[in-house]
Amino acid sequence: MTDRPYELVLLGATGYTGTFTAEYVQEHVASNLNWAIAGRNEKRLRELAEKLKAMNPDRIQPAVEVVEVKNEDLWTLAKKTKVLMTTLGPYAKYGEPVVKACVEAGTHYLDVTGEITFTYEMMRKYDRAAKDKGVCIVPQCGIDSVPSDILAYLCAKTIRDTLNVGIRDCVNSLQKLTTNLSGGTITSLLGLVEAYPFSTLKASIEPSALCPIDPPKAKPSTTSLGKAILGWRRVKDLGILTDSPQAVSDVGIVYRSWGLFDSGNLYGPNFTFTEYMRASNIFVGALVHYGFLMTLISFLLPPVRALIKRVAFKPGDGPSPEDTKNDVQSYKAIATADHASMRRSYATLHYDGSMYYMTAITLTEAALVISRGGDCLGKRLGGMITPATLEMEYVERLQKADIEIEWGMLDG
């Protein structure tokens, strides 16, 4: 790829998350990066380029690439770069031609989708072809599903390094999240229901849907029928937990990581992973559980989807800087050693600021591991990999970018 003009291309740069990503690259990535911003609207791209130049004139400025979302244009764009990051959603609508172009052009691909059904379909269609070409496809490199995937990896690695055994009952919890959803996020959520048949949606949300090998047979201790009916469960050191809106997107990615790391041996054969959200009390937990269930059912109704589209942010728009200045994202995971001692490990991730800016960080730093980083499992494997397979270099990059990540063994 040494003869390609760009090291990095950002597709969808003028969207809400795309703009944050372009700003992060401009302000925080090495000034010798040859890169480009790409999209369909030349006027908006030129305006963004001027804004970026004003932010940091003392670096190589991004080129502007105008493309339509069609195979020929996208292949030409992909052929110009080593790595392509795309924030252009909904991915169910616009994503596959980009994946296809990258695989055919031999270009590494990263996205920030939370659309697990899209990820599932891209795995089925392009994993083998990408692996054969040494191309990395890295989906869900944003708030879905970096926190969950990295924390589960750190819990497993800590116990493996300490006791040389695997883990079981790894539970991740969204401890605190204050934010408003962008128009792109809402459009993507609604678009899934419209883009795929119910059978595909159902298959894609199975915990093992993305597993590259037969899934572990162990069952989580947090998923009994009684707990499902109540809508909450209490987990030591995590509190009262209820349904997390991110679990549908995240669980499959974590189980894929399980299978990619030494065919499940790093995390262990009895590994289980569940994800929840902290509730202030059992009544709130039950309310969230049933409210979330009703929301999912309502998404199946066309009039409800139409109403949401009318009142929500439009694609490309989202909360203002003023609205997000006090936003917080905080996660904590705990895992139990698959060992008679039943010792436990923990990992936490915390970020003060917009979850969309955090997504810009997690996406860009993942791309830089692929482009400029050292050896890691994901780069050796190729095909559809996960954020966790970028290993400790990725964790360290996120820490340097002001995402607080800690891990270790618990005493009690």
Side-chain angles (χ1 to χ4, degrees), residues 282-296:
I282 62 174
F283 303 107
V284 171
L287 183 64
V288 169
H289 169 71
Y290 285 102
F292 185 54
L293 182 62
M294 293 304 296
T295 299
L296 289 178

Side-chain angles (χ1 to χ4, degrees), residues 147-159:
S148 300
D149 201 28
I150 290 298
L151 296 187
Y153 163 70
L154 290 172
C155 282
K157 185 176 186 300
T158 299
I159 284 183

Side-chain angles (χ1 to χ4, degrees), residues 32-343:
N32 65 347
L33 178 77
N34 287 305
W35 67 299
I37 52 175
R40 294 166 291 179
N41 190 316
E42 183 175 4
K43 179 175 181 293
R44 292 181 64 188
L45 287 168
R46 298 288 180 193
E47 290 171 350
L48 176 59
E50 288 301 314
K51 177 184 177 183
L52 296 174
K53 185 174 182 180
M55 291 172 63
N56 185 2
D58 300 323
R59 63 164 298 132
I60 296 175
Q61 300 302 314
V64 170
E65 294 280 350
V66 182
V67 294
E68 294 295 328
V69 186
K70 56 185 181 182
N71 290 337
E72 185 176 345
D73 276 19
L74 292 170
W75 182 87
T76 300
L77 177 68
K79 202 68 177 173
K80 292 180 179 180
T81 186
K82 181 178 181 181
V83 178
L84 187 146
M85 308 186 298
T86 175
T87 59
L88 180 62
Y91 291 88
K93 183 176 182 180
Y94 298 117
E96 183 172 355
V98 185
V99 176
K100 182 175 186 289
C102 285
V103 172
E104 291 177 350
T107 299
H108 301 303
Y109 165 98
L110 300 94
D111 68 38
V112 294
T113 187
E115 301 166 45
I116 190 67
T117 312
F118 167 77
T119 300
Y120 173 71
E121 287 290 277
M122 295 306 97
M123 177 196 70
R124 295 172 66 194
K125 293 182 179 180
Y126 299 103
D127 176 50
R128 173 49 57 189
K131 189 183 291 289
D132 290 345
K133 282 196 152 187
V135 169
C136 294
I137 300 173
V138 199
Q140 300 186 207
C141 277
I143 195 164
D144 296 317
S145 298
V146 168
S148 300
D149 201 28
I150 290 298
L151 296 187
Y153 163 70
L154 290 172
C155 282
K157 185 176 186 300
T158 299
I159 284 183
R160 180 62 66 182
D161 291 346
T162 305
L163 302 172
N164 196 27
V165 297
I167 60 174
R168 52 188 172 88
D169 266 346
C170 183
V171 182
N172 184 40
S173 63
L174 174 55
Q175 293 279 299
K176 187 174 183 181
L177 177 67
T178 54
T179 192
N180 290 314
L181 297 181
S182 73
T185 300
I186 295 168
T187 302
S188 293
L189 289 171
L190 301 178
L192 276 178
V193 178
E194 298 168 346
Y196 299 105
F198 180 77
S199 59
T200 304
L201 291 170
K202 183 176 182 295
S204 69
I205 64 174
E206 288 293 326
S208 61
L210 303 181
C211 271
I213 59 175
D214 290 340
K217 296 179 180 178
K219 301 297 182 184
S221 66
T222 57
T223 57
S224 68
L225 178 60
K227 291 169 182 174
I229 292 172
L230 290 172
W232 61 272
R233 70 277 301 140
R234 194 187 304 271
V235 177
K236 185 179 179 182
D237 294 314
L238 296 179
I240 297 167
L241 304 180
T242 186
D243 295 356
S244 167
Q246 292 184 256
V248 170
S249 298
D250 295 343
V251 172
I253 290 290
V254 174
Y255 273 100
R256 185 165 184 81
S257 292
W258 166 83
L260 291 175
F261 277 101
D262 193 20
S263 298
N265 288 316
L266 176 66
Y267 293 39
N270 295 315
F271 172 75
T272 65
F273 178 81
T274 49
E275 180 166 293
Y276 302 102
M277 179 171 64
R278 185 163 187 167
S280 56
N281 56 61
I282 62 174
F283 303 107
V284 171
L287 183 64
V288 169
H289 169 71
Y290 285 102
F292 185 54
L293 182 62
M294 293 304 296
T295 299
L296 289 178
I297 293 171
S298 72
F299 278 3
L300 300 174
L301 305 176
V304 174
R305 297 199 299 271
L307 176 62
I308 293 172
K309 290 176 183 179
R310 283 201 298 270
V311 301
F313 285 116
K314 301 303 178 187
D317 295 330
S320 69
E322 180 67 22
D323 292 335
T324 61
K325 67 180 182 180
N326 295 318
D327 282 2
V328 174
Q329 294 84 50
S330 188
Y331 299 82
K332 183 176 183 180
I334 290 177
T336 303
D338 192 14
H339 183 265
S341 68
M342 295 187 67
R343 293 188 65 189

